[in-house]
Amino acid sequence: MAAILPPAMLGILGGGQLGRMFVTAAKRMGYRVTVLDPDANAPAADFADVHLCAPFNDAAALQTLAASCAAVTTEFENVNADAMRQLAKSTRVSPSGDCVAIAQDRIAEKSWVRKAGLPTAPYLAIESVADIQVELEPYLPGILKTARLGYDGKGQVRVKTADEARAAYADLGGQACVLEKMLDLKLEVSAIVTRTSSAQVAVFPVSENIHKDGILDESIVPARIAPELAARVQQYAVKLAEALDYIGVLAVEFFVLGDDSLVVNEIAPRPHNSGHYTIDACVTDQYQQQVRAMCGLLPGKTDLLSPVVMVNLLGDVWREDGGEPLWDVLMEAPNAHLHLYGKKEARAGRKMGHFTVLAANVDDALDQARALKDTL
Ligand code: ADP
Ligand code: MG
């Protein structure tokens, strides 16, 4: 297929911060962008050429997208996979609706990971109440996770006993879930793969991810793990992308256990919060890769230009009255980059922005990043 070149119009489903950073990358390269998002204040709409302000399943809006865009992608997994399959009949769509359907359902996702020959945590798929009337000991203590629509630790309940697990399942309204054994994590890491239509693959350096309350707080790159282990993380991520015949940017989250064995936690069919560091610290960033993949270009080089730490800025950092954090010290730091998403309302737990610190090594970057966060 011929490559799509600027100034072609590209489309994206979703206008959150990932969409905003995609739009920025695409516009810089000379493409035009249409964003579909029902929110009039969608962060990506600030920079888009066209904002279709309509529900994701709006037939007329999807029709406009298909007719006006040379290629369409998505910034989140909870779009209607059927809508993506429909769009694919008249324009180029990546990732495929099939891959998005897998990533949006933890049951399908985990069975695909195993099919690719990669390890998951011990888990039980619970599609109906009968499925939870079995011996639960192998999955306890565990986490009951809704199969769909969970993010940032939402839709998850920690359970110690079989009775607790069954009660929690009932509390979640009997929707499909997985019960996953709670593992003793040494570390969490992620790798982001770009696979383009010519089946060329590039993988970014491995990020070490520190979560707070189920939400990503800091990413540290390079991850503080042995090079052999980092190579294995990248290999697994690529293996998964190939098993899915994936086109686009695929993020893979891993757990590292005490013996340095790896478990795939989950995948995201899009750029990922743990890959924001690539904007400031890599030869090509994850959003440029998304553009390249959807346009049928080769992936860009993923080399890390500097050790880097990324810190998420949640609404919690804003003043009680919604007033801005004190940006002065961070803005004066010559090796820090602030990224704000233009969200109007700061709420606890809401991702409002992030910043990166680039330094000679990750220890210095981490110390400085934490000190800078304390000044906000
Ligand atoms: P989300 O879709 O909300 O990101 P995850 O499944 O990635 O959901 O879970 C969020 C976080 O909860 C993980 O990053 C990890 O810190 C913790 N967690 C999830 N599953 C397990 C598990 N089986 N064992 C230990 N910790 C877990
Ligand atoms: Mg996760």
Side-chain angles (χ1 to χ4, degrees):
M1 252 188 296
I4 297 166
L5 299 172
M9 180 71 87
L10 306 180
I12 184 161
L13 299 166
Q17 65 268 17
L18 301 177
R20 178 181 174 102
M21 289 181 265
F22 167 83
V23 174
T24 314
K27 294 287 295 174
R28 224 164 40 209
M29 291 155 86
Y31 293 95
R32 291 167 300 140
V33 184
T34 298
V35 171
L36 172 60
D37 193 295
D39 179 359
N41 294 320
D46 280 353
F47 301 125
D49 294 274
V50 180
H51 176 197
L52 299 170
C53 192
F56 293 114
N57 57 0
D58 185 275
L62 289 168
Q63 173 57 36
T64 304
L65 210 58
S68 61
C69 297
V72 175
T73 187
T74 180
E75 62 125 34
F76 76 143
E77 50 272 42
N78 295 319
V79 289
N80 187 327
D82 275 333
M84 295 186 71
R85 293 185 187 107
Q86 203 58 38
L87 281 172
K89 289 182 183 160
S90 45
T91 188
R92 258 154 91 152
V93 175
S94 65
S96 69
D98 290 351
C99 285
V100 170
I102 291 164
Q104 68 189 195
D105 182 328
R106 290 190 197 275
I107 297 175
E109 176 182 74
K110 287 187 191 301
S111 84
W112 262 94
V113 170
R114 292 220 174 147
K115 238 192 274 179
L118 301 177
T120 67
Y123 74 97
L124 175 72
I126 307 164
E127 315 229 36
S128 73
V129 70
D131 295 331
I132 202 170
Q133 306 308 322
V134 296
E135 178 60 70
L136 298 182
E137 210 44 49
Y139 317 106
L140 294 171
I143 309 186
L144 188 72
K145 301 181 181 178
T146 58
R148 287 171 170 270
L149 300 174
Y151 70 99
D152 289 348
K154 293 185 176 62
Q156 301 193 5
V157 191
R158 300 191 173 202
V159 293
K160 291 203 187 71
T161 64
D163 285 347
E164 272 178 35
R166 292 186 184 113
Y169 174 72
D171 280 348
L172 287 170
Q175 60 181 307
C177 287
V178 295
L179 176 60
E180 199 177 302
K181 189 170 174 66
M182 188 73 159
L183 300 174
D184 198 5
L185 313 185
K186 181 154 114 185
L187 226 54
E188 294 190 58
V189 298
S190 57
I192 298 170
V193 181
T194 309
R195 192 163 175 273
T196 67
S197 63
S198 47
Q200 294 273 337
V201 181
V203 55
F204 283 108
V206 175
S207 167
E208 173 185 340
N209 303 320
I210 299 179
H211 294 79
K212 237 185 228 159
D213 303 324
I215 307 179
L216 182 65
D217 182 34
E218 296 167 330
S219 289
I220 300 165
V221 191
R224 294 168 297 179
I225 56 177
E228 174 280 324
L229 179 55
R232 193 146 41 94
V233 168
Q234 290 180 316
Q235 256 167 34
Y236 280 16
V238 168
K239 196 167 171 189
L240 203 47
E242 303 207 309
L244 292 166
D245 195 15
Y246 191 89
I247 301 296
V249 173
L250 177 73
V252 187
E253 296 179 14
F254 294 87
F255 297 146
V256 181
L257 306 185
D259 60 357
D260 274 356
S261 62
L262 287 173
V263 164
V264 175
N265 173 32
E266 61 173 352
I267 63 175
R270 50 168 171 79
H272 192 259
N273 195 165
S274 68
H276 290 351
Y277 80 86
T278 60
I279 297 175
D280 301 318
C282 287
V283 172
T284 310
D285 71 54
Q286 61 172 350
Y287 302 97
Q288 294 169 324
Q289 297 288 49
Q290 187 175 18
V291 172
R292 296 174 79 106
M294 74 192 292
C295 290
L297 300 163
L298 294 176
K301 278 173 75 73
T302 53
D303 306 51
L304 189 68
L305 300 172
S306 164
V308 59
V309 166
M310 189 260 353
V311 177
N312 263 347
L313 296 172
L314 304 183
D316 311 60
V317 179
W318 269 246
R319 309 271 91 89
E320 294 269 333
D321 62 0
E324 291 292 309
L326 306 174
W327 297 125
D328 51 335
V329 178
L330 175 56
M331 289 303 288
E332 298 269 22
N335 55 338
H337 297 279
L338 177 64
H339 299 248
L340 292 177
Y341 307 150
K343 295 183 182 177
K344 303 270 181 293
E345 197 194 330
R347 287 192 300 270
R350 188 175 199 205
K351 290 174 178 168
M352 301 294 290
H354 71 268
F355 69 91
T356 56
V357 172
L358 283 69
N361 58 67
V362 287
D363 294 329
D364 287 354
L366 194 54
D367 286 347
Q368 206 190 334
R370 287 177 178 170
L372 284 172
K373 189 171 179 201
D374 285 341
T375 69
L376 298 179

